[in-house]
Each structure stands twice: as C-alpha cells, then as structure tokens.
Amino acid sequence: LPPPPTAGASAAKAARTLIGAPDGTAPSVVEWVASVARLTEPAHVQWCDGTDAEFGSLVETMLDAGTIVPVPARPGSYLARSHPDDVARVEDRTFICSVDDEDAGPTNHWRDPESMRETLGGLFQGAMRGRTMYVIPFSMGPVGGPISKLGIELTDSPYVVASMHAMTRVGTNVLDAIAEGEDWVPAVHSVGAPLAAGRADTPWPCNPTKYISHFPETREIWSFGSAYGGNALLAKKCFALRIASVQARDEGWLAEHMLIVRMTHDDGRRLHLAAAFPSACGKTNLAMLKPSIPGWNVETIGDDIAWMRTGADGSLHAINPENGFFGVAPGTSEATNATAMAMLDRDTIFTNVALTDDGDVWWEGMTKHAPEGLTDWRGERWTPESGRPAAHPNARFTVRATQCPSIADDWDAPEGVPIDAIVFGGRRPSQVPLVMQARDWEHGVYVGATISSQQTAAAEGPVGAIRRDPFAMLPFCGYDMGDYFRHWLDIGQRLGRNAPAIFSVNWFRRDADGGFLWPGFSENARVLEWIAGRVAGTADGVDTAIGVLPSDGALDVSGLDLPEGVLDELLEVDAPAWLAELVDVDAFFSQFERLPFGLRRQLNHVRWRLEQQ
Ligand code: GTP
Ligand code: MN
Ligand code: MN
C-alpha cells in the first residue's frame, strides 16, 4: 500500500495533472490521491463537490448500471438491490491493525500492519480498472466545529458516493479547510471488481474476499470487497467509531454508538439524553420517539453516533457527527415510528426492501399484511407462501437528517448539547429490568461494560444468540476494550459533579408465549420521564442489589392496560438468575488483561449485595 499522506508532501505537478485535482488542493492530498490512483488504476478520477447536480449524475450512472431502480410512489427515491451475499457488516473480516496486538485487545481481530499492507497492496493493485475513482471530501460535524473532524474517502462505487451525500457533509470547503492545515482521515474503498475492457458491469459489483481494515496509529482505513453501508461508507462505523474512538482516547473525549435526543415538557422540564443500544436494538426508534404521555415532546439530534467532549461549562457536550440516517427498515411502521415513515416519503435511497407492483416500497412490519403483487429484495416475484422475507431483515433506508420531522432546530450546533443522562440497553428476553439507574459513575461504567443482547441481522452471525456487547461498541471500538473502560472511568473522574447520570433500559422482555411484556415504542416516554425525574431529583427509586429501580408508583403507567403482575415482573430482581449471570460477567472480564480494578470492585459489590438478598 502507498504510505499514509504526509503533511509536508511536495505537490508534484505530474501527480496533480494525472488526477485532475482542483487548484488549491493541499499537496498532501494530491500526492496521496495520486498514489492510490497509481495503485488501483481507475479509468477516471472524479473530485466530488456534494452538489445536487452531482447527486443527479450519480443517480443517472446507477440507473444505467441497474444498481438502483426508481420508487415512483416516493419522489426522488430509489431502491438498490445488493448482491445477496453483501447485506450486512462482516465482523469476521473487520481488522484492527495496531502495531502491538495487545492494543487491539481481545475482542478485535488483529492483523500485523506490515503484513496487512502487503495483503491489501496485492488486492488493491488494479482493483479500480475500468471504473471511476471518486474523491469524497467530507466533514463529520459542521465544518470547522470544535468537535468536528474531516476525512477523504476514495471509492469506486457511485452508490457509496450517493449515500455519503446523505450521511456526511460533502463539499469543497473540506478541501479548503485541509489546505489551511486541518487534520483529516484518509479512507480508501473498492468494491474489488475491476472491469475488463468491453465487459459489461453487474448491478452490484463486490468481491467474495472482504477486508475492512483500520490502522489506528496512522488513522487510515482501507476497505475491500463490499459495498454494504457499514463496510463501505467509511465515514460511519470505520471512522466515526473505530478510528475516532482511538483519537478520543488520545485526546480525552468520547466517540460512541449512541443516539442523542432532547425531551422537553410544556412545564419547562428538559432532558438531553445519549443512549447506546447494540445494532438493531432501537436507537433510531428512540431517537424519533413520539411520546404517548401528554405534555412531552422529543426532538431528534442523532440516531447512531455521538461524539462527546467537555464543554466550556464543564459538562459533557454531544454532537451527532453524521448528516443523515442509515436506518433499519423492517419493523418501521406508522404504529412504531410514524416520524420515520413521514421522513421516508421522498428523497430516500432504500436498500434491499421489497417493491410493490404500483411502485412503492414494502418491508415486513410496515403493514400487518403484505400487499398483493410484490417483488422481493432479490428482484424475484414474492408471495407470503414463499416462506422467505420479502425485504432483507437488514434492509435499510438512507436519508438526510433535515428530512426528519422531529429533527431539532439546533441539531447541528457545532458545540453540541449538554448531556444529562446516558442510557445503556440491549435486547434481553428475561431478567434485565425495564429501567434501572446506576449508583454512581463507576457503577454506570460497569453497567455499560456488561451490556448483553440477542444478536440481530445487522451483522453476520447467529441471530438470537445472546452475546456481551459492552457499550454497544464491541464491533466498533478501535482499541483494547480494557483501556476503553479505563478511559470511561477517567472521563467520569474529570467530569466529577458534572458527570451525567447513567441508566440501563430493556424494552425486549418476553412472556411465556414469546410476546413482548412492555408495549415499547411511544410508551418508552414513560421510562424517559422517570429518568428525567431522577436527574431532577423528583422521581423516587429503590436501591437494589443491581441498581436503583423505580419505587412503587414512580413509573407512570396510567392508561396502559398492562396485565396484572407485568409491571412487577418488569421491575423484579431475580437474585439467583443475576448470580448465575455474574459467573458469565466474571469470565467475560477475565479475558481483559487491562481490566481496570474499578470494574472488578463493582462486580464484587453487586455479587455481595445479591448474596445478602
Ligand atoms: P442500528 O441502526 O443498526 O445501529 O440499530 P438501531 O439501534 O437504530 O435499531 P432500530 O431503532 O432501527 O430498531 C431495530 C428493531 O428494534 C426494529 O425491528 C424495531 O421495531 C425494534 N424496536 C425498537 N424499539 C422497540 C421497542 O421499544 N420495543 C420493541 N419490542 N421493539 C423495538
Ligand atoms: Mn449502529
Ligand atoms: Mn439505527
């Protein structure tokens, strides 16, 4: 692989001409782009400016190639059908290439950076032949903001460019900022399917061999073989979480897999909340919550990623570094997320949903019954009798944040919003209560570190199996998670009295028949109201072995027809089950050589409390 860009690079005129770089582009950028072009040998190099005109021509290119088809029922909307084997993140093929393997920690796949450079060098050689290499300058967060960061993605996929238009801030002003000396992250992506001269392209080129590689020391990303969002939109999981988490560790801030919302009441109560749930466990839904209880309003700030730094006032401030939403389609309906349904009525790229004969999209859960006349996500005729889902379970929508009816007016404020509460959650069919407050920051870090959840279709792997997913960051932390836990403890120390309160929630408890015990969705506002009350010091809680739970009557369930005993079940502490779980937590912790002592102390304390019960 060519070396990472160096700030002092000398603008070779030949290089600039070779790739057609705009005047004023920083020499380091020119030389880096030229070096990747020499390696990958694209037929053309196109510098992207993020304009509507550019988007329009990308759409033309993709329509011609059959990558997308129009969705006539929704203006400006398209459906992309991926290759059937390129539908989700590939965690087994995701690598952290730190110099020292211990810096990647026991939960990441580590590869030696030298040997990975050699492997990738071979794969990327000539990989873009016959294709256009797009140069995408992008900003995460508003350009120039104190928490924002810049990057440049090179890709040979127009689908990736079009998606980056929605998900990041693409523009030449990013190149200007880099020329003025701003730091940036280099990211290279190829679908890994060079086009032989005269050969027809396939609608969704990709390669069975996939590498999603991160070099934390040099802050580089190299992704090969997939065009699926999480593997190919390198600004998102690769940069905004894996590389940014390393930058955050080094610079004293937090890069997290969290939604951000503001919840206000007509009477002046107000709460800013950041919440981490594993993939496909309800972040986008909670971010767009329509409260069922009167007086409350929720404004969306972000639905997937939060970058948080101590602000001038000493409290933790969060921005959503993204510019749009890449959300799970199945399960989204008027009943579960009416806000998202309104947001998707135009200018949306759908991926792997079904298409109706009258030109609209459909997915499982949108309506109770599938409409007559459907083409499934593979492009084949579909009926309910086929026994397969019409939309892929990880089908997604890509849409700009400004299209969201509940987006906060100041959602892109450069300095972010002050966070009052941090919430952790997972998909647990039993035992984990509906809501709980951690006793203090250290206990809260323990709660975050021990999140576990049933696996979903968002990543390849056995759906339904319970795995530990600390901070919902297991697939996204770019360094040793023991160090990561310590970093969280340090941040709490530094915040002191300004530290947000920490909670855990679980919307996914099931009854004996497999139905959900808690109605969830808009009714989750009741849980947020209790959280707001705890932060304000007005809501009652009982201190239990595992944390503080709502006291009798403290959680407003009026008007909900919960069957007899269900609320008690949702809030009970089953000591034997928890003691059994702690054996698993203990084993999980044991793999971390760098586990901070505070987490062991918390584990021992919880165990001791349970044994007293
Ligand atoms: P990523 O975007 O992959 O990080 O996932 P996410 O956390 O944003 O997940 P999302 O909000 O898209 O939710 C995924 C699934 O969880 C959908 O099938 C939802 O219907 C379901 N879900 C969300 N909230 C609730 C809830 O309160 N109760 C129940 N039962 N299901 C929920
Ligand atoms: Mn996510
Ligand atoms: Mn989401």
Side-chain angles (χ1 to χ4, degrees):
L1 288 192
T6 45
S10 63
K13 228 174 155 188
R16 184 183 296 274
T17 319
L18 170 75
I19 56 171
D23 283 346
T25 307
S28 58
V29 173
V30 172
E31 290 199 355
W32 174 70
V33 174
S35 68
V36 176
R38 276 192 297 269
L39 175 69
T40 59
E41 301 173 25
H44 311 277
V45 177
Q46 184 178 324
W47 293 72
C48 300
D49 58 13
T51 56
D52 290 346
E54 179 173 277
F55 187 84
S57 82
L58 290 162
V59 164
E60 289 305 318
T61 305
M62 288 189 286
L63 286 170
D64 285 349
T67 309
I68 56 171
V69 295
V71 177
R74 298 173 193 241
S77 301
Y78 303 92
L79 162 63
R81 295 192 184 103
S82 83
H83 187 284
D85 297 327
D86 195 22
V87 293
R89 288 183 291 101
V90 283
E91 295 182 6
D92 279 354
R93 305 300 305 164
T94 299
F95 302 99
I96 301 297
C97 309
S98 46
V99 173
D100 185 345
D101 64 338
E102 291 188 359
D103 289 334
T107 59
N108 279 311
H109 300 293
W110 175 82
R111 287 289 172 89
D112 171 61
E114 281 313 310
S115 80
M116 183 59 98
R117 295 194 90 86
E118 211 171 292
T119 305
L120 292 175
L123 289 169
F124 273 93
Q125 171 130 47
M128 298 189 185
R129 245 174 248 162
R131 298 190 184 281
T132 297
M133 179 169 91
Y134 299 91
V135 183
I136 317 171
F138 65 90
S139 180
M140 301 307 281
V143 179
I147 313 182
S148 304
K149 290 200 177 286
L150 309 178
I152 299 180
E153 175 164 351
L154 309 181
T155 180
D156 54 7
S157 162
Y159 170 83
V160 167
V161 187
S163 304
M164 287 282 286
H165 267 227
M167 296 305 297
T168 73
R169 295 154 176 92
V170 177
T172 45
N173 54 347
V174 171
L175 288 180
D176 298 341
I178 291 172
E180 281 158 23
E182 282 293 327
D183 201 22
W184 57 285
V185 165
V188 184
H189 168 255
S190 173
V191 295
L195 264 184
R199 225 15 122 57
D201 203 358
T202 56
W204 186 277
C206 59
N207 191 306
T209 300
K210 295 176 174 46
Y211 281 90
I212 320 299
S213 309
H214 309 73
F215 298 83
E217 279 91 1
T218 51
R219 319 290 203 224
E220 288 166 278
I221 303 159
W222 288 81
S223 168
F224 182 89
S226 169
Y228 171 76
N231 302 326
L233 311 180
L234 303 185
K236 193 174 178 60
K237 305 302 191 184
C238 298
F239 176 7
L241 291 177
R242 297 197 190 93
I243 294 294
S245 64
V246 175
Q247 296 176 311
R249 173 198 64 191
D250 295 348
E251 299 165 8
W253 52 284
L254 296 168
E256 301 298 329
H257 191 201
M258 291 181 174
L259 68 95
I260 310 166
V261 291
R262 173 189 300 136
M263 181 149 153
T264 49
H265 193 278
D266 296 344
D267 67 10
R269 277 181 281 170
R270 187 175 115 127
L271 178 82
H272 283 107
L273 176 148
F277 311 151
S279 296
C281 290
K283 288 184 300 302
T284 300
N285 277 270
L286 191 63
M288 297 171 193
L289 179 85
K290 272 197 169 160
S292 60
I293 44 179
W296 286 102
N297 183 38
V298 164
E299 293 164 82
T300 309
I301 293 162
D303 84 324
D304 197 52
I305 296 174
W307 283 359
M308 302 191 281
R309 257 180 211 269
T310 311
D313 59 357
S315 67
L316 194 62
H317 284 245
I319 65 160
N320 165 16
E322 300 190 279
N323 192 44
F325 305 120
F326 180 64
V328 180
T332 308
S333 71
E334 290 298 338
T336 61
N337 193 346
T339 306
M341 290 306 281
M343 165 174 87
L344 303 178
D345 66 2
R346 64 187 166 94
D347 298 311
T348 305
I349 301 173
F350 297 95
T351 304
N352 289 340
V353 301
L355 199 60
T356 67
D357 285 352
D358 49 7
D360 201 0
V361 290
W362 189 81
W363 48 75
E364 275 67 22
M366 182 198 274
T367 51
K368 196 153 180 229
H369 300 287
E372 288 284 318
L374 270 184
T375 304
D376 73 7
W377 67 278
R378 296 163 184 260
E380 288 161 18
R381 296 302 292 170
W382 185 91
T383 61
E385 289 73 47
S386 73
R388 304 173 271 117
H392 187 277
N394 192 37
R396 297 264 170 171
F397 54 77
T398 308
V399 62
R400 283 167 199 272
T402 47
Q403 243 168 265
C404 175
S406 62
I407 198 81
D409 286 341
D410 58 345
W411 74 278
D412 57 354
E415 67 284 357
V417 296
I419 296 298
D420 306 299
I422 289 173
V423 179
F424 297 114
R427 194 179 271 269
R428 286 290 300 262
S430 64
Q431 185 184 331
V432 176
L434 177 63
V435 60
M436 181 199 87
Q437 182 179 9
R439 277 180 281 272
D440 54 27
W441 184 271
E442 187 179 89
H443 182 225
V445 172
Y446 170 84
V447 169
T450 56
I451 296 182
S452 61
S453 191
Q454 289 180 304
Q455 272 184 251
T456 65
E460 306 214 311
V463 172
I466 291 186
R467 72 165 180 184
R468 299 242 157 243
D469 188 349
F471 290 78
M473 283 287 279
L474 184 75
F476 306 122
C477 184
Y479 63 103
D480 181 280
M481 282 210 104
D483 286 343
Y484 169 90
F485 300 151
R486 184 182 310 277
H487 181 58
W488 263 83
L489 292 173
D490 290 347
I491 293 276
Q493 286 261 311
R494 245 179 291 154
L495 286 167
R497 296 158 51 92
N498 289 316
I502 300 181
F503 298 81
S504 87
V505 299
N506 177 21
W507 316 138
F508 298 96
R509 290 284 290 270
R510 305 246 188 192
D511 60 22
D513 303 325
F516 289 108
L517 281 176
W518 175 251
F521 302 104
S522 62
E523 304 297 356
N524 293 335
R526 298 166 185 271
V527 172
L528 299 196
E529 181 180 54
W530 183 74
I531 289 174
R534 290 299 295 169
V535 170
T538 55
D540 289 334
V542 276
D543 186 35
T544 77
I546 57 167
V548 179
L549 297 180
S551 341
D552 256 356
L555 189 72
D556 178 9
V557 290
S558 57
L560 271 187
D561 57 347
L562 286 182
E564 182 74 28
V566 161
L567 188 62
D568 291 341
E569 197 179 338
L570 286 167
L571 297 176
E572 103 194 307
V573 179
D574 179 347
W578 277 102
L579 281 166
E581 168 127 6
L582 295 196
V583 175
D584 183 61
V585 170
D586 201 328
F588 176 72
F589 278 175
S590 296
Q591 70 182 307
F592 298 105
E593 278 172 36
R594 302 182 184 173
L595 189 81
F597 174 71
L599 292 187
R600 280 257 166 240
R601 174 169 50 219
Q602 289 296 330
L603 171 59
N604 291 336
H605 181 74
V606 174
R607 187 190 287 126
W608 178 79
R609 291 277 307 253
L610 286 164
E611 283 164 356
Q612 309 303 303
Q613 197 169 310

